[in-house]
Amino acid sequence: MPKITFIDAAGTERTVEAAAGATVMEAAIRNGVPGIDAECGGACACATCHVYVDEAWQAATGEPGPMEEDMLDFASDVRPTSRLSCQIKITEALDGLVVRTPENQG
């Protein structure tokens, strides 16, 4: 199973195993990762699963689509590496992915 490391705003790291085919948000929720609220349940209808993708992983996770970009407008402290974790599908190629959670969710 691919492993994903979540780093919170205080620098605390949590590495979880994630099923291929799930989303980064689903992996966070299943593993009780703090900082991922996921109020819409992964429907890309809010910005409460906002993460910063580590720069080394930006190409592997891809660019946000138009709907995701619209939702990121509602996120706090958006950066060039911002993504909604509900829109990042986990594959074996993402084994080792590192994402950071913002101090506050939108």
Side-chain angles (χ1 to χ4, degrees):
M1 283 186 140
K3 291 187 175 157
I4 301 170
T5 299
F6 294 86
I7 304 172
D8 67 21
T12 303
E13 294 185 19
R14 288 178 180 239
T15 300
V16 302
E17 289 189 344
T23 65
V24 171
M25 180 217 72
E26 290 168 333
I29 297 301
R30 286 188 186 124
N31 289 283
V33 174
I36 303 288
D37 298 337
E39 290 177 5
C40 75
C44 197
C46 71
T48 61
C49 68
H50 177 211
V51 295
Y52 306 116
V53 175
D54 187 88
E55 289 182 14
W57 290 94
Q58 276 190 284
T61 57
E63 296 292 322
M67 190 170 165
E68 182 179 355
E69 286 181 349
D70 287 347
M71 287 298 104
L72 282 167
D73 287 342
F74 297 101
S76 299
D77 194 22
V78 174
R79 301 176 186 172
T81 60
S82 289
R83 290 292 308 272
L84 296 182
S85 60
C86 69
Q87 298 301 297
I88 304 171
K89 285 275 191 200
I90 299 166
T91 64
E92 292 296 330
L94 293 183
D95 185 28
L97 174 65
V98 176
V99 298
R100 297 178 190 279
T101 56
E103 191 169 346
N104 299 301
Q105 287 290 357

